[in-house]
Amino acid sequence: MSTVVLPGSFDPFTLGHLDLARRAAALADRVVIAVSHNPSKKGLLGLDARKEAIAATMAQEDLADTVEVRTLPGGLLVDFCREIGAGAVVRGLRSQLDLAYEEPMARMNRHLAEIDTVFLLTESSLAHISSSLVREVHALGGEVSNMLPGPSQQALVAAPDVS
Ligand code: PNS
């Protein structure tokens, strides 16, 4: 059985992430969305809120049989991959800037454990969406609902106002 890991902060999980999860599920028998937990990184949504929104989205999209949601422990991503029997990491590329960020990590993961990274080119219509810009637009009062699956929208509404 082929397993791949789709790691990230997912703060919040966007329509771009959903597209990646769908496409990863078409490529592998099992997709593990690994949500990173960095208590020192000041984000918008807590770990549980992000995981719950992703799991609810997978259920809505009929992907729950293939896609599971886990916490990415603080250690190396490749150790997590080995622990769960994943052969590859999946990451999305919106632009060449993303590739510049991703390339060293992909090379390092391959060096450390011969874990390959499969890059999926982001759907053009979603290439402007990033969690960081969604957070910024949201914080400044802009409309972000059309960039997020329903459960992420609800998580944002329920998030404590930190402004
Ligand atoms: O959504 P993000 O914030 O771009 O995700 C980054 C993530 C979680 C994929 C990245 O920080 C990561 O792979 N962390 C695991 C730490 C690790 O293994 N580092 C060394 C090898 S690159």
Side-chain angles (χ1 to χ4, degrees):
M1 182 165 94
S2 61
T3 300
V4 297
V5 172
L6 177 57
S9 312
F10 305 115
D11 186 20
F13 189 81
T14 67
L15 291 181
H17 296 135
L18 172 56
D19 182 55
L20 286 180
R22 270 199 202 106
R23 290 160 64 191
L27 294 173
D29 299 315
R30 174 178 170 236
V31 178
V32 176
I33 296 185
V35 185
S36 67
H37 178 45
N38 185 352
S40 62
K41 198 168 157 184
K42 195 176 154 292
L44 178 61
L45 301 174
L47 177 67
D48 288 343
R50 284 178 279 148
K51 286 176 69 182
E52 281 163 23
I54 298 169
T57 303
M58 294 306 115
Q60 274 183 5
E61 298 291 323
D62 229 6
L63 287 168
D65 286 347
T66 312
V67 183
E68 62 190 80
V69 185
R70 302 265 293 260
T71 302
L72 180 63
L76 289 173
L77 177 61
V78 293
D79 287 342
F80 179 74
C81 289
R82 280 198 277 229
E83 185 191 312
I84 65 163
V89 171
V90 172
R91 294 280 284 172
L93 293 180
R94 287 163 302 198
S95 68
Q96 291 184 13
L97 283 180
D98 279 351
L99 180 59
Y101 171 68
E102 296 291 337
E103 182 185 342
M105 293 196 289
R107 290 190 187 284
M108 182 57 75
N109 288 336
R110 181 147 181 82
H111 169 86
L112 291 171
E114 296 192 352
I115 297 277
D116 270 315
T117 301
V118 177
F119 292 113
L120 299 179
L121 279 182
T122 302
E123 194 61 46
S124 312
S125 62
L126 303 171
H128 60 292
I129 302 175
S130 68
S131 294
S132 57
L133 281 181
V134 165
R135 289 198 302 273
E136 183 174 335
V137 170
H138 176 69
L140 297 173
E143 179 61 54
V144 294
S145 60
N146 55 1
M147 296 184 259
L148 302 174
S152 290
Q153 295 173 30
Q154 286 144 24
L156 238 61
V157 170
D161 187 357
V162 287
S163 59

